[in-house]
Amino acid sequence: MLGATITAGTLSSAGTVTDILNGTITSVLGATITAGTLTSAGTVTDILNGTITSVLGATITAGTLSSITSISQKSFVEQPDIGITTADALTPLPAVTTSVLGVYSFFVHNSGANPVNTQIEISADGTNYYVDTTGDNPLAAGSVDVLVPARFLKYTRVSYQSASTGLPSTINVILNAQGT
């Protein structure tokens, strides 16, 4: 059915529906609903006095949304720390609150002239850290590595240091993550 106005009844599956009045819809790609229940929809244009059980994607341009049980959307997050000079002492980058992230990893590029060591540290309280994963140490000059934690806690950070005493280098660390 490519277009229809339904005033009463049940529509079990439709590609494009223009208007539905007092009915039940099992699956719809687009619709204007005046009263009834919408079980699953890809795109919904207007809903007046109805119930939506599941929506894959929606844009609300006008109206009132009075109650939401949950909203879930995966979003891309990127956080670069560029041009970091390493030293002899192990130094942490600021911690990332990873409790709101689903999948995440740290891209490390040694853009300097000397090798570096890296590791991922995790924490439940943001104060006490546990060494979770070490990088491909030592990471040679001009090389890249991707650090992925093996365990999950609320906070995650990358720590780095020069691999050889007195020989600093420069690194770029880029967090790439996907929200939940």
Side-chain angles (χ1 to χ4, degrees):
M1 186 178 300
L2 295 178
T5 300
I6 300 172
T7 56
T10 300
L11 179 62
S12 59
S13 179
T16 302
V17 177
T18 306
D19 293 302
I20 298 170
L21 306 172
N22 299 319
T24 300
I25 303 168
T26 304
S27 178
V28 173
L29 296 177
T32 298
I33 301 170
T34 303
T37 301
L38 178 61
T39 304
S40 177
T43 302
V44 178
T45 306
D46 294 308
I47 299 173
L48 303 172
N49 300 320
T51 302
I52 300 175
T53 305
S54 175
V55 177
L56 295 177
T59 300
I60 300 171
T61 55
T64 302
L65 186 58
S66 59
S67 176
I68 298 175
T69 303
S70 68
I71 296 176
S72 176
Q73 178 179 346
K74 293 186 185 255
S75 57
F76 179 75
V77 175
E78 183 171 89
Q79 181 178 315
D81 287 299
I82 307 299
I84 303 162
T85 302
T86 65
D88 294 339
L90 190 64
T91 307
L93 288 173
V96 177
T97 304
T98 50
S99 61
V100 296
L101 303 175
V103 177
Y104 56 95
S105 55
F106 296 87
F107 176 84
V108 179
H109 174 228
N110 183 354
S111 60
N114 298 303
V116 298
N117 293 326
T118 57
Q119 63 187 33
I120 288 186
E121 300 168 353
I122 57 174
S123 174
D125 60 11
T127 302
N128 301 294
Y129 281 86
Y130 173 81
V131 177
D132 179 70
T133 306
T134 58
D136 187 16
N137 295 332
L139 182 62
S143 296
V144 297
D145 193 10
V146 177
L147 303 175
V148 181
R151 296 168 188 86
F152 176 81
L153 286 175
K154 185 175 181 180
Y155 303 102
T156 306
R157 69 184 186 189
V158 172
S159 289
Y160 58 91
Q161 73 182 120
S162 300
S164 301
T165 303
L167 296 176
S169 195
T170 303
I171 61 170
N172 300 317
V173 179
I174 303 171
L175 166 71
N176 278 183
Q178 195 172 49
T180 56

